[in-house]
Amino acid sequence: MRGLFITFEGCEGSGKSTQSSMLYNYLKRKKLSVIHLREPGGTKIGEHIRKILLDPRQKLSPICETLLYMGCRDHLIRSVIKPALRRKKIVICDRFLDSTRAYQGYGLGVDMKLIEYIGRFVTNNIEPDLTIFLDVAIKEGLKRAGVIKDRIERRPFIYHQRVRKGYLRLARQFPQRIKVIKVDKDKNKTQAKIRELVEKLLKR
């Protein structure tokens, strides 16, 4: 027996941080044992790696970028996620392996077989019980991201289109796990849809 693992995915400006935080607070109010993490990040080492990955001044090859994300994920899983699941906690994580599939695989063209191969070792076969993909139009998402953009947000529009198409392809590939939620202008309406999915998961 272990806890529940819920991940949030989405393109830039989809509201993952906001919605995952809202869900975290909702579950806390229900007196459930829950933690909220983000990728890249979640640990001191992870936050250092995050700064490198998002720094516009850094010139990273697709493979280097992929391996940095994977290394950061490995540390987070071993030091935080796995122990929390063993203690039967609910783990909410802003991004996970699907982000690498979408951003580095479909977005940058890194061999998907390589991503899956490394991913198996890094995740130790830990897979989310539920993945919520927040879908928003690329133009709207980039507009929401703000004026000051990080290294990933600065990439060409066509890159972000490939990422979104990749996510939708993953949702078709794993329909039982990945649920697509169209982002509403009212964040509370979006959150209501998310809570409905999570409540079903809690009742299993």
Side-chain angles (χ1 to χ4, degrees):
M1 293 292 293
R2 67 170 179 82
L4 292 175
F5 188 22
I6 301 169
T7 58
F8 279 75
E9 297 288 350
C11 299
E12 304 307 309
S14 60
K16 297 182 315 318
S17 299
T18 298
Q19 293 297 333
S20 59
S21 293
M22 289 175 72
L23 178 63
Y24 167 75
N25 290 324
Y26 169 71
L27 295 176
K28 286 286 285 185
R29 289 194 298 271
K30 288 172 69 73
K31 307 299 183 182
L32 295 173
S33 182
V34 56
I35 62 172
H36 184 213
L37 306 168
R38 70 174 181 177
E39 276 203 357
T43 64
K44 287 184 178 179
I45 290 174
E47 292 299 326
H48 284 302
I49 296 174
R50 181 185 182 89
K51 289 180 181 178
I52 295 171
L53 283 163
L54 301 184
D55 186 349
R57 298 169 298 179
Q58 301 296 332
K59 306 296 181 184
L60 307 175
S61 71
I63 292 295
C64 179
E65 179 176 304
T66 301
L67 294 176
L68 281 173
Y69 275 111
M70 288 291 197
C72 186
R73 182 170 298 129
D74 177 80
H75 184 63
L76 183 63
I77 289 170
R78 292 176 187 275
S79 60
V80 183
I81 295 177
K82 200 170 182 179
L85 291 175
R86 281 176 177 168
R87 295 196 298 271
K88 299 183 181 180
K89 290 180 177 288
I90 298 172
V91 178
I92 298 173
C93 195
D94 184 342
R95 296 199 182 283
F96 197 59
L97 184 57
D98 291 314
S99 281
T100 305
R101 291 170 173 138
Y103 277 79
Q104 285 72 51
Y106 291 111
L108 292 179
V110 175
D111 188 346
M112 197 63 77
K113 289 182 179 179
L114 176 64
I115 289 174
E116 296 300 336
Y117 180 77
I118 299 174
R120 280 196 299 274
F121 284 98
V122 168
T123 62
N124 198 18
N125 292 319
I126 290 177
E127 188 175 86
D129 297 286
L130 172 66
T131 297
I132 297 164
F133 170 57
L134 297 173
D135 191 25
V136 65
I138 299 299
K139 286 184 179 179
E140 177 63 25
L142 291 174
K143 183 179 178 181
R144 289 185 180 192
V147 178
I148 301 176
K149 300 188 182 302
D150 63 34
R151 193 176 67 87
I152 307 299
E153 292 167 345
R154 292 186 182 196
R155 286 177 173 163
F157 185 79
I158 192 170
Y159 165 81
H160 294 286
Q161 284 184 314
R162 291 197 299 269
V163 170
R164 180 172 179 266
K165 288 179 181 178
Y167 269 128
L168 293 173
R169 185 172 178 178
L170 289 170
R172 292 192 296 271
Q173 187 177 350
F174 304 106
Q176 295 301 314
R177 175 174 66 84
I178 303 178
K179 304 301 180 182
V180 180
I181 291 183
K182 293 288 183 180
V183 176
D184 194 286
K185 289 183 180 180
D186 184 342
K187 65 181 181 181
N188 293 312
K189 289 183 178 179
T190 302
Q191 179 67 196
K193 296 175 185 176
I194 292 169
R195 291 179 186 178
E196 185 178 342
L197 290 172
V198 173
E199 287 294 347
K200 288 180 181 178
L201 181 63
L202 292 172
K203 292 175 182 177
R204 287 183 186 175

